[in-house]
Amino acid sequence: MVDTVSQATEQTPTEAMFSADEASRGLGIELVEHGEGTALVRMTVTPAMVNGHRIAHGGFLFLLADTAFACACNSHGPVTVAAGADIVFVAPAREGDVLVARAEERVRYGRSGIYDVSVRRGDEVVAEFRGRSRSVRDDGRDRSARDDAGRDARQDTARETPGTTKESR
């Protein structure tokens, strides 16, 4: 079931994440509807979003699709971030176009997921996006483990590099 965004007192995980997303909201992106593993967002292409060819800059189309992706993959509750994403630009968008991006979960496995997003102007496809997600552990182990591993690897490399001294590191 897809819920439309309401004035409910208790926010869903998607609503909480989106309300804190200054980048998306600052560009006028609206969260139109969302549900478990799905989201629909909308944006109007402004004059500041067009490039030297007078078409929407691809970065803004990517951001719109990425916002829908973020809303869909965060619908389950744990904080989830992008592990990677690809986009194919199918048709140009122009100033004044109202674009909608619909994200749909394809699969979740472990802490990972795959989501497809279609960006449309009316019935016309403007772009297709595929995002790969990764849920972040609540206990902070992801960050601290990466930081420790990176620090250990740098120290080991510095110790093992012939011709290095403490001063040259």
Side-chain angles (χ1 to χ4, degrees):
M1 181 178 118
V2 175
D3 298 321
T4 56
V5 178
S6 66
Q7 299 297 327
T9 56
E10 189 172 325
Q11 291 184 319
T12 67
T14 298
E15 291 166 342
M17 185 220 51
F18 187 77
S19 69
D21 185 347
E22 295 292 332
S24 296
R25 290 184 310 104
L27 291 172
I29 295 176
E30 304 167 78
L31 177 59
V32 177
E33 52 184 56
H34 61 90
E36 193 168 306
T38 66
L40 178 75
V41 298
R42 177 175 48 220
M43 174 184 83
T44 301
V45 178
T46 68
M49 295 176 183
V50 298
N51 63 23
H53 300 296
R54 306 309 305 159
I55 60 176
H57 189 290
F60 290 105
L61 300 179
F62 188 97
L63 189 143
L64 177 66
D66 188 50
T67 298
F69 162 57
C71 289
C73 68
N74 277 279
S75 66
H76 300 288
V79 173
T80 303
V81 296
D86 301 296
I87 193 165
V88 177
F89 301 111
V90 177
R94 303 196 187 288
E95 181 182 333
D97 285 351
V98 176
L99 305 176
V100 296
R102 179 176 301 279
E104 297 181 7
E105 181 178 280
R106 295 296 174 222
V107 65
R108 283 176 58 216
Y109 53 100
R111 292 178 23 230
S112 299
I114 299 173
Y115 295 76
D116 286 337
V117 182
S118 286
V119 177
R120 295 177 177 269
R121 173 186 43 240
D123 291 333
E124 183 183 11
V125 174
V126 172
E128 289 290 334
F129 172 106
R130 173 157 277 191
R132 296 169 303 282
S133 68
R134 184 77 171 166
S135 293
V136 178
R137 291 186 176 139
D138 292 337
D139 61 8
R141 287 188 295 163
D142 278 349
R143 182 170 184 211
S144 63
R146 281 194 308 270
D147 291 349
D148 291 344
R151 184 173 37 255
D152 292 346
R154 286 189 300 277
Q155 289 171 347
D156 289 345
T157 301
R159 279 194 292 266
E160 295 171 6
T161 305
T164 61
T165 64
K166 185 175 184 181
E167 291 77 27
S168 67
R169 284 184 248 146

